[in-house]
Amino acid sequence: MDLQNTDVNAEATVQLSRAKTLRLHTGNLVNRSRMKKKCPGSPSEELRDCIQATLSDWFSSTKPSTTDLQDTLVCSIPEAADAIKPEEREEMKVSAKLFLCEAGQSAIREAVEMASQMLTVSQLDSVSIAPPCAPEGDSQTLAHLQPAWEELEALVKSRKIAAIGTSDLDKDLLEQLYNWAQVKPSSNQVNLASCCVMPPDLTAFAKEFDIQLITHNDPKELMSAAAFQEAVREGARVLSTTDWRLEWVLRYSVIVKSRGIIKSKGYLVSAKRASP
């Protein structure tokens, strides 16, 4: 047995056990050879594999710390980072989709700030939001969307985001949001698994008000609580993870404008330990 590796794993386990918030940054999946070998069948499978691999790599590389244990534990792999250099920023388009697993406007600001910090940019070019699913049996309403949208608008006004978009809104709800909002949605993502052809009324409305319609294949629930806990358990090799709950997931991509190629892509994940 490698005694040094055992000490490292013990240190990482202690840090995880004491933390109240867990933040993960997968780094650039384009460059991570471990992830490039995988061909996930869905966004959910990709996210699960990313969480597991990032935790596993972090646990195997963590150095013993002499500092006080922190409430917020950030797990990232420095060699897999994808910071954007100042001189290349103008050539890059930074887009993100934020999945809110729990309601709460503070999560939106936290996710955007973490993405900006990890990518070393002052502003994200676009952020689309997938709010938490409405309570079972209820349909999505404008009232349900408004708190999250107001937080996005505040981030646009403070120049943290240039443009904001929505996900899976039908024509009526998109029109309600557009008429109410101070900062209008620039895009709306449509899941073609639920509608094989873009609805004509949605297409007409989007065209009239210059809203870009983008297709996607993300499930309504990107990751279940059980799937997240399993990924943490397998990546960290700890027995109990039931006290961790997923807060939000931000998926980002950095595209070279002139060439239309993806320079980097990755996930940021935040989870909180349930209160005793």
Side-chain angles (χ1 to χ4, degrees):
M1 179 182 292
D2 187 337
L3 293 178
Q4 183 178 4
N5 191 54
T6 301
D7 291 340
V8 167
N9 288 338
E11 171 70 19
T13 300
V14 169
Q15 291 189 39
L16 179 62
S17 67
R18 300 287 178 84
K20 296 179 181 177
T21 301
L22 175 64
R23 297 273 168 81
L24 295 176
H25 177 211
T26 63
N28 186 1
L29 303 183
V30 174
N31 293 337
R32 287 190 69 179
S33 57
R34 181 171 177 176
M35 297 307 304
K36 284 196 289 186
K37 294 176 183 177
K38 295 179 177 291
C39 296
S42 69
S44 297
E45 290 178 13
E46 179 179 64
L47 176 58
R48 181 199 62 204
D49 292 343
C50 286
I51 292 172
Q52 184 179 338
T54 300
L55 274 173
S56 179
D57 289 348
W58 183 82
F59 262 70
S60 65
S61 62
T62 298
K63 302 297 189 294
S65 172
T66 57
T67 61
D68 293 335
L69 296 173
Q70 302 295 313
D71 285 346
T72 299
L73 178 61
V74 179
C75 299
S76 61
I77 313 301
E79 57 269 25
D82 45 5
I84 298 173
K85 298 176 182 178
E87 62 269 22
E88 63 182 12
R89 177 63 181 97
E90 285 299 314
E91 270 298 303
M92 304 297 164
K93 180 180 180 181
V94 183
S95 302
K97 183 173 182 178
L98 177 59
F99 302 85
L100 292 178
C101 306
E102 296 184 353
Q105 293 89 278
S106 62
I108 298 173
R109 184 171 294 273
E110 290 169 1
V112 169
E113 288 179 349
M114 185 176 178
S116 298
Q117 179 183 359
M118 291 297 181
L119 297 172
T120 63
V121 297
S122 60
Q123 184 185 64
L124 305 183
D125 293 301
S126 68
V127 175
S128 293
I129 191 167
C133 296
E136 190 172 351
D138 293 344
S139 57
Q140 194 85 269
T141 65
L142 178 61
H144 185 252
L145 293 172
Q146 283 172 332
W149 196 259
E150 286 175 336
E151 184 61 29
L152 286 174
E153 289 181 326
L155 290 168
V156 171
K157 291 171 183 176
S158 62
R159 299 190 177 182
K160 298 293 185 183
I161 307 173
I164 50 180
T166 58
S167 183
D168 299 316
L169 301 193
D170 60 20
K171 182 263 181 183
D172 290 341
L173 189 50
L174 181 60
E175 183 175 11
Q176 290 175 38
L177 177 64
Y178 187 92
N179 291 336
W180 167 82
Q182 293 183 25
V183 179
K184 308 300 183 183
S186 63
S187 64
N188 180 43
Q189 297 191 4
V190 180
N191 191 332
L192 289 186
S194 58
C195 58
C196 297
V197 179
M198 201 75 75
D201 60 344
L202 178 61
T203 302
F205 179 80
K207 183 177 180 180
E208 181 179 358
F209 293 96
D210 196 26
I211 299 172
Q212 184 181 14
L213 296 181
I214 306 168
T215 60
H216 74 91
N217 65 339
D218 298 316
K220 284 188 176 182
E221 183 180 49
L222 185 61
M223 173 167 274
S224 68
F228 173 69
Q229 290 162 5
E230 181 183 1
V232 173
R233 185 165 55 249
E234 292 179 356
R237 297 188 180 181
V238 292
L239 294 177
S240 177
T241 57
T242 55
D243 53 349
W244 286 106
R245 69 178 196 272
L246 191 60
E247 268 195 308
W248 52 260
V249 175
L250 183 143
R251 183 179 64 213
Y252 64 86
S253 63
V254 180
I255 298 174
V256 182
K257 295 177 184 177
S258 59
R259 300 169 63 190
I261 63 171
I262 297 177
K263 181 178 184 290
S264 66
K265 64 178 182 178
Y267 289 90
L268 301 176
V269 179
S270 179
K272 282 197 178 296
R273 192 184 295 279
S275 301

